[in-house]
PDB file of all heavy atoms in Angstrom:
ATOM      1  N   ARG A   1       0.831  -1.197   0.000  1.00 97.00           N
ATOM      2  CA  ARG A   1       0.001  -0.003  -0.006  1.00 97.00           C
ATOM      3  C   ARG A   1       0.871   1.253   0.002  1.00 97.00           C
ATOM      4  O   ARG A   1       1.938   1.284   0.596  1.00 97.00           O
ATOM      5  CB  ARG A   1      -0.917   0.025   1.241  1.00 97.00           C
ATOM      6  CG  ARG A   1      -1.849  -1.159   1.325  1.00 97.00           C
ATOM      7  CD  ARG A   1      -2.850  -1.143   0.183  1.00 97.00           C
ATOM      8  NE  ARG A   1      -3.768  -0.008   0.295  1.00 97.00           N
ATOM      9  CZ  ARG A   1      -4.445   0.500  -0.724  1.00 97.00           C
ATOM     10  NH1 ARG A   1      -4.286   0.010  -1.946  1.00 97.00           N
ATOM     11  NH2 ARG A   1      -5.278   1.521  -0.540  1.00 97.00           N
ATOM     12  N   PRO A   2       0.422   2.331  -0.638  1.00 98.00           N
ATOM     13  CA  PRO A   2       1.194   3.564  -0.643  1.00 98.00           C
ATOM     14  C   PRO A   2       1.381   4.118   0.760  1.00 98.00           C
ATOM     15  O   PRO A   2       0.476   4.078   1.591  1.00 98.00           O
ATOM     16  CB  PRO A   2       0.328   4.510  -1.497  1.00 98.00           C
ATOM     17  CG  PRO A   2      -0.532   3.612  -2.316  1.00 98.00           C
ATOM     18  CD  PRO A   2      -0.812   2.428  -1.467  1.00 98.00           C
ATOM     19  N   PHE A   3       2.568   4.653   1.016  1.00 98.00           N
ATOM     20  CA  PHE A   3       2.861   5.329   2.274  1.00 98.00           C
ATOM     21  C   PHE A   3       2.121   6.668   2.307  1.00 98.00           C
ATOM     22  O   PHE A   3       2.054   7.375   1.303  1.00 98.00           O
ATOM     23  CB  PHE A   3       4.369   5.577   2.388  1.00 98.00           C
ATOM     24  CG  PHE A   3       4.785   6.409   3.571  1.00 98.00           C
ATOM     25  CD1 PHE A   3       4.689   5.921   4.850  1.00 98.00           C
ATOM     26  CD2 PHE A   3       5.276   7.703   3.387  1.00 98.00           C
ATOM     27  CE1 PHE A   3       5.077   6.692   5.951  1.00 98.00           C
ATOM     28  CE2 PHE A   3       5.672   8.474   4.471  1.00 98.00           C
ATOM     29  CZ  PHE A   3       5.571   7.965   5.766  1.00 98.00           C
ATOM     30  N   ILE A   4       1.560   6.998   3.466  1.00 98.00           N
ATOM     31  CA  ILE A   4       0.859   8.268   3.628  1.00 98.00           C
ATOM     32  C   ILE A   4       1.434   9.001   4.833  1.00 98.00           C
ATOM     33  O   ILE A   4       1.532   8.428   5.932  1.00 98.00           O
ATOM     34  CB  ILE A   4      -0.656   8.052   3.863  1.00 98.00           C
ATOM     35  CG1 ILE A   4      -1.329   7.435   2.624  1.00 98.00           C
ATOM     36  CG2 ILE A   4      -1.337   9.367   4.253  1.00 98.00           C
ATOM     37  CD1 ILE A   4      -1.488   8.390   1.450  1.00 98.00           C
ATOM     38  N   THR A   5       1.832  10.259   4.636  1.00 98.00           N
ATOM     39  CA  THR A   5       2.077  11.134   5.773  1.00 98.00           C
ATOM     40  C   THR A   5       1.232  12.383   5.575  1.00 98.00           C
ATOM     41  O   THR A   5       1.079  12.875   4.448  1.00 98.00           O
ATOM     42  CB  THR A   5       3.574  11.457   5.958  1.00 98.00           C
ATOM     43  OG1 THR A   5       3.768  11.990   7.266  1.00 98.00           O
ATOM     44  CG2 THR A   5       4.090  12.443   4.909  1.00 98.00           C
ATOM     45  N   GLN A   6       0.658  12.875   6.665  1.00 98.00           N
ATOM     46  CA  GLN A   6      -0.373  13.903   6.579  1.00 98.00           C
ATOM     47  C   GLN A   6       0.047  15.143   7.365  1.00 98.00           C
ATOM     48  O   GLN A   6       0.416  15.065   8.533  1.00 98.00           O
ATOM     49  CB  GLN A   6      -1.692  13.352   7.144  1.00 98.00           C
ATOM     50  CG  GLN A   6      -2.139  12.090   6.407  1.00 98.00           C
ATOM     51  CD  GLN A   6      -3.185  11.307   7.204  1.00 98.00           C
ATOM     52  OE1 GLN A   6      -4.359  11.361   6.896  1.00 98.00           O
ATOM     53  NE2 GLN A   6      -2.757  10.604   8.241  1.00 98.00           N
ATOM     54  N   GLU A   7      -0.023  16.306   6.695  1.00 97.00           N
ATOM     55  CA  GLU A   7       0.324  17.553   7.368  1.00 97.00           C
ATOM     56  C   GLU A   7      -0.814  17.977   8.290  1.00 97.00           C
ATOM     57  O   GLU A   7      -1.870  18.399   7.837  1.00 97.00           O
ATOM     58  CB  GLU A   7       0.601  18.664   6.353  1.00 97.00           C
ATOM     59  CG  GLU A   7       1.070  19.948   7.020  1.00 97.00           C
ATOM     60  CD  GLU A   7       0.800  21.208   6.236  1.00 97.00           C
ATOM     61  OE1 GLU A   7      -0.095  21.196   5.357  1.00 97.00           O
ATOM     62  OE2 GLU A   7       1.473  22.214   6.488  1.00 97.00           O
ATOM     63  N   VAL A   8      -0.573  17.837   9.592  1.00 96.00           N
ATOM     64  CA  VAL A   8      -1.504  18.323  10.606  1.00 96.00           C
ATOM     65  C   VAL A   8      -0.698  19.159  11.580  1.00 96.00           C
ATOM     66  O   VAL A   8       0.094  18.622  12.355  1.00 96.00           O
ATOM     67  CB  VAL A   8      -2.204  17.167  11.342  1.00 96.00           C
ATOM     68  CG1 VAL A   8      -3.187  17.738  12.371  1.00 96.00           C
ATOM     69  CG2 VAL A   8      -2.928  16.247  10.369  1.00 96.00           C
ATOM     70  N   ILE A   9      -0.854  20.454  11.521  1.00 94.00           N
ATOM     71  CA  ILE A   9      -0.137  21.339  12.444  1.00 94.00           C
ATOM     72  C   ILE A   9      -0.855  21.313  13.800  1.00 94.00           C
ATOM     73  O   ILE A   9      -1.995  21.734  13.899  1.00 94.00           O
ATOM     74  CB  ILE A   9      -0.075  22.785  11.899  1.00 94.00           C
ATOM     75  CG1 ILE A   9       0.692  22.791  10.558  1.00 94.00           C
ATOM     76  CG2 ILE A   9       0.597  23.703  12.895  1.00 94.00           C
ATOM     77  CD1 ILE A   9       0.671  24.132   9.880  1.00 94.00           C
ATOM     78  N   ASP A  10      -0.165  20.758  14.791  1.00 93.00           N
ATOM     79  CA  ASP A  10      -0.775  20.575  16.105  1.00 93.00           C
ATOM     80  C   ASP A  10       0.300  20.726  17.171  1.00 93.00           C
ATOM     81  O   ASP A  10       1.084  19.819  17.411  1.00 93.00           O
ATOM     82  CB  ASP A  10      -1.452  19.196  16.196  1.00 93.00           C
ATOM     83  CG  ASP A  10      -2.052  18.930  17.567  1.00 93.00           C
ATOM     84  OD1 ASP A  10      -2.164  19.875  18.360  1.00 93.00           O
ATOM     85  OD2 ASP A  10      -2.406  17.757  17.832  1.00 93.00           O
ATOM     86  N   LEU A  11       0.332  21.884  17.802  1.00 90.00           N
ATOM     87  CA  LEU A  11       1.239  22.108  18.943  1.00 90.00           C
ATOM     88  C   LEU A  11       0.502  21.949  20.259  1.00 90.00           C
ATOM     89  O   LEU A  11       1.046  22.230  21.330  1.00 90.00           O
ATOM     90  CB  LEU A  11       1.867  23.503  18.849  1.00 90.00           C
ATOM     91  CG  LEU A  11       2.771  23.758  17.657  1.00 90.00           C
ATOM     92  CD1 LEU A  11       3.327  25.174  17.698  1.00 90.00           C
ATOM     93  CD2 LEU A  11       3.911  22.753  17.611  1.00 90.00           C
ATOM     94  N   GLY A  12      -0.738  21.481  20.189  1.00 86.00           N
ATOM     95  CA  GLY A  12      -1.550  21.318  21.389  1.00 86.00           C
ATOM     96  C   GLY A  12      -2.513  22.470  21.571  1.00 86.00           C
ATOM     97  O   GLY A  12      -2.225  23.607  21.203  1.00 86.00           O
ATOM     98  N   GLY A  13      -3.709  22.152  22.062  1.00 84.00           N
ATOM     99  CA  GLY A  13      -4.650  23.201  22.400  1.00 84.00           C
ATOM    100  C   GLY A  13      -5.572  23.642  21.284  1.00 84.00           C
ATOM    101  O   GLY A  13      -6.360  24.575  21.474  1.00 84.00           O
ATOM    102  N   GLU A  14      -5.472  22.998  20.108  1.00 83.00           N
ATOM    103  CA  GLU A  14      -6.372  23.369  19.018  1.00 83.00           C
ATOM    104  C   GLU A  14      -7.549  22.413  18.932  1.00 83.00           C
ATOM    105  O   GLU A  14      -7.520  21.312  19.504  1.00 83.00           O
ATOM    106  CB  GLU A  14      -5.604  23.385  17.698  1.00 83.00           C
ATOM    107  CG  GLU A  14      -4.632  24.557  17.570  1.00 83.00           C
ATOM    108  CD  GLU A  14      -4.186  24.810  16.134  1.00 83.00           C
ATOM    109  OE1 GLU A  14      -4.989  24.559  15.216  1.00 83.00           O
ATOM    110  OE2 GLU A  14      -3.056  25.259  15.949  1.00 83.00           O
ATOM    111  N   ALA A  15      -8.568  22.814  18.232  1.00 92.00           N
ATOM    112  CA  ALA A  15      -9.788  22.007  18.152  1.00 92.00           C
ATOM    113  C   ALA A  15      -9.579  20.726  17.355  1.00 92.00           C
ATOM    114  O   ALA A  15     -10.271  19.734  17.558  1.00 92.00           O
ATOM    115  CB  ALA A  15     -10.914  22.844  17.534  1.00 92.00           C
ATOM    116  N   ILE A  16      -8.650  20.767  16.395  1.00 96.00           N
ATOM    117  CA  ILE A  16      -8.363  19.590  15.572  1.00 96.00           C
ATOM    118  C   ILE A  16      -6.966  19.102  15.899  1.00 96.00           C
ATOM    119  O   ILE A  16      -5.998  19.860  15.821  1.00 96.00           O
ATOM    120  CB  ILE A  16      -8.484  19.930  14.081  1.00 96.00           C
ATOM    121  CG1 ILE A  16      -9.913  20.344  13.738  1.00 96.00           C
ATOM    122  CG2 ILE A  16      -8.053  18.740  13.217  1.00 96.00           C
ATOM    123  CD1 ILE A  16     -10.081  20.842  12.320  1.00 96.00           C
ATOM    124  N   GLY A  17      -6.858  17.837  16.281  1.00 95.00           N
ATOM    125  CA  GLY A  17      -5.585  17.278  16.703  1.00 95.00           C
ATOM    126  C   GLY A  17      -5.058  16.207  15.772  1.00 95.00           C
ATOM    127  O   GLY A  17      -5.786  15.615  14.993  1.00 95.00           O
ATOM    128  N   LYS A  18      -3.755  15.966  15.887  1.00 97.00           N
ATOM    129  CA  LYS A  18      -3.078  14.999  15.028  1.00 97.00           C
ATOM    130  C   LYS A  18      -3.614  13.582  15.190  1.00 97.00           C
ATOM    131  O   LYS A  18      -3.634  12.803  14.241  1.00 97.00           O
ATOM    132  CB  LYS A  18      -1.577  15.030  15.321  1.00 97.00           C
ATOM    133  CG  LYS A  18      -1.220  14.753  16.785  1.00 97.00           C
ATOM    134  CD  LYS A  18       0.181  15.177  17.113  1.00 97.00           C
ATOM    135  CE  LYS A  18       0.472  15.013  18.613  1.00 97.00           C
ATOM    136  NZ  LYS A  18       1.773  15.588  18.993  1.00 97.00           N
ATOM    137  N   ASN A  19      -4.104  13.262  16.395  1.00 97.00           N
ATOM    138  CA  ASN A  19      -4.570  11.894  16.655  1.00 97.00           C
ATOM    139  C   ASN A  19      -5.849  11.559  15.895  1.00 97.00           C
ATOM    140  O   ASN A  19      -6.208  10.382  15.798  1.00 97.00           O
ATOM    141  CB  ASN A  19      -4.769  11.682  18.150  1.00 97.00           C
ATOM    142  CG  ASN A  19      -3.440  11.650  18.899  1.00 97.00           C
ATOM    143  OD1 ASN A  19      -2.571  10.822  18.599  1.00 97.00           O
ATOM    144  ND2 ASN A  19      -3.264  12.559  19.845  1.00 97.00           N
ATOM    145  N   GLU A  20      -6.532  12.565  15.371  1.00 97.00           N
ATOM    146  CA  GLU A  20      -7.731  12.301  14.596  1.00 97.00           C
ATOM    147  C   GLU A  20      -7.427  11.674  13.234  1.00 97.00           C
ATOM    148  O   GLU A  20      -8.337  11.213  12.546  1.00 97.00           O
ATOM    149  CB  GLU A  20      -8.522  13.597  14.397  1.00 97.00           C
ATOM    150  CG  GLU A  20      -9.049  14.189  15.697  1.00 97.00           C
ATOM    151  CD  GLU A  20      -9.865  15.458  15.441  1.00 97.00           C
ATOM    152  OE1 GLU A  20     -10.789  15.406  14.598  1.00 97.00           O
ATOM    153  OE2 GLU A  20      -9.579  16.489  16.084  1.00 97.00           O
ATOM    154  N   TYR A  21      -6.139  11.683  12.843  1.00 98.00           N
ATOM    155  CA  TYR A  21      -5.781  11.209  11.506  1.00 98.00           C
ATOM    156  C   TYR A  21      -4.817  10.014  11.534  1.00 98.00           C
ATOM    157  O   TYR A  21      -4.425   9.506  10.478  1.00 98.00           O
ATOM    158  CB  TYR A  21      -5.152  12.346  10.712  1.00 98.00           C
ATOM    159  CG  TYR A  21      -6.132  13.471  10.446  1.00 98.00           C
ATOM    160  CD1 TYR A  21      -6.244  14.544  11.326  1.00 98.00           C
ATOM    161  CD2 TYR A  21      -6.932  13.473   9.309  1.00 98.00           C
ATOM    162  CE1 TYR A  21      -7.136  15.571  11.107  1.00 98.00           C
ATOM    163  CE2 TYR A  21      -7.832  14.507   9.066  1.00 98.00           C
ATOM    164  CZ  TYR A  21      -7.931  15.555   9.978  1.00 98.00           C
ATOM    165  OH  TYR A  21      -8.816  16.572   9.747  1.00 98.00           O
ATOM    166  N   THR A  22      -4.401   9.564  12.734  1.00 98.00           N
ATOM    167  CA  THR A  22      -3.365   8.521  12.781  1.00 98.00           C
ATOM    168  C   THR A  22      -3.859   7.145  12.338  1.00 98.00           C
ATOM    169  O   THR A  22      -3.038   6.293  12.013  1.00 98.00           O
ATOM    170  CB  THR A  22      -2.799   8.411  14.209  1.00 98.00           C
ATOM    171  OG1 THR A  22      -3.875   8.255  15.148  1.00 98.00           O
ATOM    172  CG2 THR A  22      -1.994   9.653  14.583  1.00 98.00           C
ATOM    173  N   HIS A  23      -5.172   6.944  12.308  1.00 97.00           N
ATOM    174  CA  HIS A  23      -5.669   5.662  11.794  1.00 97.00           C
ATOM    175  C   HIS A  23      -5.547   5.589  10.266  1.00 97.00           C
ATOM    176  O   HIS A  23      -5.668   4.494   9.691  1.00 97.00           O
ATOM    177  CB  HIS A  23      -7.117   5.443  12.199  1.00 97.00           C
ATOM    178  CG  HIS A  23      -8.081   6.440  11.644  1.00 97.00           C
ATOM    179  ND1 HIS A  23      -8.054   7.792  11.996  1.00 97.00           N
ATOM    180  CD2 HIS A  23      -9.115   6.298  10.745  1.00 97.00           C
ATOM    181  CE1 HIS A  23      -9.017   8.422  11.359  1.00 97.00           C
ATOM    182  NE2 HIS A  23      -9.679   7.551  10.600  1.00 97.00           N
ATOM    183  N   LEU A  24      -5.266   6.713   9.636  1.00 98.00           N
ATOM    184  CA  LEU A  24      -5.192   6.764   8.168  1.00 98.00           C
ATOM    185  C   LEU A  24      -3.776   6.685   7.644  1.00 98.00           C
ATOM    186  O   LEU A  24      -3.551   6.330   6.495  1.00 98.00           O
ATOM    187  CB  LEU A  24      -5.823   8.072   7.674  1.00 98.00           C
ATOM    188  CG  LEU A  24      -7.291   8.310   8.043  1.00 98.00           C
ATOM    189  CD1 LEU A  24      -7.717   9.701   7.611  1.00 98.00           C
ATOM    190  CD2 LEU A  24      -8.171   7.238   7.417  1.00 98.00           C
ATOM    191  N   GLY A  25      -2.794   7.053   8.479  1.00 98.00           N
ATOM    192  CA  GLY A  25      -1.406   7.077   8.045  1.00 98.00           C
ATOM    193  C   GLY A  25      -0.584   7.831   9.060  1.00 98.00           C
ATOM    194  O   GLY A  25      -1.076   8.241  10.126  1.00 98.00           O
ATOM    195  N   THR A  26       0.671   8.047   8.749  1.00 98.00           N
ATOM    196  CA  THR A  26       1.529   8.819   9.645  1.00 98.00           C
ATOM    197  C   THR A  26       1.156  10.288   9.591  1.00 98.00           C
ATOM    198  O   THR A  26       0.423  10.728   8.689  1.00 98.00           O
ATOM    199  CB  THR A  26       3.018   8.629   9.276  1.00 98.00           C
ATOM    200  OG1 THR A  26       3.263   9.257   8.018  1.00 98.00           O
ATOM    201  CG2 THR A  26       3.385   7.155   9.200  1.00 98.00           C
ATOM    202  N   VAL A  27       1.673  11.057  10.555  1.00 98.00           N
ATOM    203  CA  VAL A  27       1.340  12.476  10.635  1.00 98.00           C
ATOM    204  C   VAL A  27       2.617  13.267  10.912  1.00 98.00           C
ATOM    205  O   VAL A  27       3.505  12.813  11.640  1.00 98.00           O
ATOM    206  CB  VAL A  27       0.305  12.731  11.768  1.00 98.00           C
ATOM    207  CG1 VAL A  27       0.059  14.221  11.959  1.00 98.00           C
ATOM    208  CG2 VAL A  27      -1.008  12.019  11.453  1.00 98.00           C
ATOM    209  N   THR A  28       2.713  14.434  10.331  1.00 97.00           N
ATOM    210  CA  THR A  28       3.863  15.317  10.558  1.00 97.00           C
ATOM    211  C   THR A  28       3.864  15.813  12.014  1.00 97.00           C
ATOM    212  O   THR A  28       2.889  16.403  12.453  1.00 97.00           O
ATOM    213  CB  THR A  28       3.800  16.522   9.613  1.00 97.00           C
ATOM    214  OG1 THR A  28       2.524  17.135   9.705  1.00 97.00           O
ATOM    215  CG2 THR A  28       4.046  16.091   8.161  1.00 97.00           C
ATOM    216  N   GLU A  29       4.951  15.551  12.727  1.00 97.00           N
ATOM    217  CA  GLU A  29       5.020  15.875  14.153  1.00 97.00           C
ATOM    218  C   GLU A  29       5.655  17.257  14.345  1.00 97.00           C
ATOM    219  O   GLU A  29       6.876  17.386  14.494  1.00 97.00           O
ATOM    220  CB  GLU A  29       5.778  14.791  14.907  1.00 97.00           C
ATOM    221  CG  GLU A  29       5.846  14.980  16.406  1.00 97.00           C
ATOM    222  CD  GLU A  29       4.516  15.262  17.063  1.00 97.00           C
ATOM    223  OE1 GLU A  29       4.162  16.452  17.137  1.00 97.00           O
ATOM    224  OE2 GLU A  29       3.834  14.303  17.492  1.00 97.00           O
ATOM    225  N   PHE A  30       4.805  18.296  14.322  1.00 96.00           N
ATOM    226  CA  PHE A  30       5.320  19.666  14.412  1.00 96.00           C
ATOM    227  C   PHE A  30       5.869  19.997  15.792  1.00 96.00           C
ATOM    228  O   PHE A  30       6.718  20.876  15.941  1.00 96.00           O
ATOM    229  CB  PHE A  30       4.219  20.661  14.023  1.00 96.00           C
ATOM    230  CG  PHE A  30       4.103  20.869  12.542  1.00 96.00           C
ATOM    231  CD1 PHE A  30       3.339  20.031  11.750  1.00 96.00           C
ATOM    232  CD2 PHE A  30       4.769  21.924  11.917  1.00 96.00           C
ATOM    233  CE1 PHE A  30       3.252  20.216  10.378  1.00 96.00           C
ATOM    234  CE2 PHE A  30       4.685  22.119  10.548  1.00 96.00           C
ATOM    235  CZ  PHE A  30       3.923  21.264   9.774  1.00 96.00           C
TER     236      PHE A  30
END
């Protein structure tokens, strides 16, 4: 399967977090 990494800017405290997308692929750890 294709590798997926997803740009989610999350330094904490925002309404949308990186963990909402980790079931889909990796996430950019800002």
Side-chain angles (χ1 to χ4, degrees):
R1 300 295 293 158
F3 173 70
I4 295 287
T5 196
Q6 302 163 104
E7 185 205 22
V8 181
I9 299 174
D10 178 12
L11 296 180
E14 289 197 31
I16 297 174
K18 58 197 174 187
N19 290 301
E20 296 182 51
Y21 295 90
T22 52
H23 63 294
L24 301 174
T26 68
V27 174
T28 52
E29 183 50 271
F30 276 85

